[in-house]
Amino acid sequence: MNSRYVQHRYVQPRYVHLGVLLLAAAVALTFPSIAPSPYEITVGIAILNYAVLSTSWNFVGGFTGYVSLGHGAFAGLGAYGTGLLVAKGELPPFAALFVAALMVAALAVPVGYAALRVRGASFVIVSIALVLILLLVFQSWASLTGGSRGLVVPRPFPGMLRAEHHRTFYFLFLALLALALLVWWVIDRSRFGMGLKAIREDEDKAQSLGIPTFTYKLVVFVVSAAFTALAGGLYALWFGDLDPVFQFSILSGSYMVLMALLGGVRQLYGPLLGALIVGYALEYSKVEYGDTPLHLVVAGLLLGVVVTFMPDGVIPAAGALLRRFRRTGDASIREVTAAELRERREENEEREETDGRDATEVRNSERSGT
């Protein structure tokens, strides 16, 4: 086959991916300017928050295969940690954000040390228990957290108009998402990431090959908790009102799993695509149908569609469909006969002539040497 054809065939998808990435970045950066009202910007912020949370979850779920339904606990801890440090500790808002994330990361070490010693359904149950325990603690400790009355977080930009406030936080969430995607991409291409993928495929075999499986799992668990806490803390600074029932909800962790599964847990942009689809569907159903539980029905239907028709996610399913079309095109008899077979025949003839000349030269040199 012609080398130029092969090179064109494999280089072209790279340019397509780069073009799609640049187009998506341009749309994301210009969205606040073209949004018809501040409400659309708030929807964009909610979707970006979902994207950061699902990408943070994907550090554990995508690399190790461990399914955690309790990752909302880290988002709630990040939100309340940031809010309490600002409201009662009087720290600057963004200093409080990073201090709270570090505290959550430190807390994730003993939590992960205990939770990661079990697998499968046991790990899921432990993660759910963590959310329920924190919900009871933050509801009962009213003197510190405000209990069921909630906690009001002072705005970081008090003199800013509401529309500009939303625009600023839109770009802050976008920057946090870009950082999370960059870290995921770096890990995916590192030796550490290869060890995590080996754990996902067969943990016992990975351990027998000398991979420190527990250490790898604990490290990525802490990284995931830190990014989840950053998303929760940034949400607290943006929204300004925290409620334990909402912050420590099993639904939050379920949404993260659903978004990652919908896009593709083993894909860099899978959680982002899932957040775009699920987040918009949730926000639309809340606006159209108010406080009814219809948004839960929408989430359940999406989960059913994913499990039934796209168990690996939208991106892998679309990739498989494109490869099928390419394979069909490559197998065309007319195309191969008209172009490629002629080139192959010429290449074979040239190769035979070259081999014949080389053999003749070798025999002549042997004769002259003797």
Side-chain angles (χ1 to χ4, degrees), residues 74 76-77 274 293 315 339:
F74 298 123
L77 287 172
I315 294 179

Side-chain angles (χ1 to χ4, degrees), residues 53-54 56-75 108 111-112 115-116 118-132 217 220-222 224-225 228 249-261 265:
L53 290 173
S54 57
S56 303
W57 179 92
N58 204 35
F59 280 98
V60 174
F63 282 125
T64 68
Y66 278 63
V67 177
S68 170
L69 293 179
H71 248 56
F74 298 123
V111 171
L116 293 171
V118 295
R119 307 180 191 177
S122 299
F123 178 79
V124 176
I125 294 173
V126 171
S127 65
I128 293 175
L130 176 64
V131 178
L132 297 179
K217 291 188 298 182
V220 80
F221 185 80
V222 173
S224 175
T228 307
S249 173
I250 299 177
L251 286 176
S252 300
S254 302
Y255 289 153
M256 297 181 204
V257 178
L258 173 60
M259 294 170 191
L261 288 176
V265 292

Side-chain angles (χ1 to χ4, degrees), residues 186 197 258 272 321:
V186 170
K197 295 173 188 176
L258 173 60
L272 175 58
L321 185 61

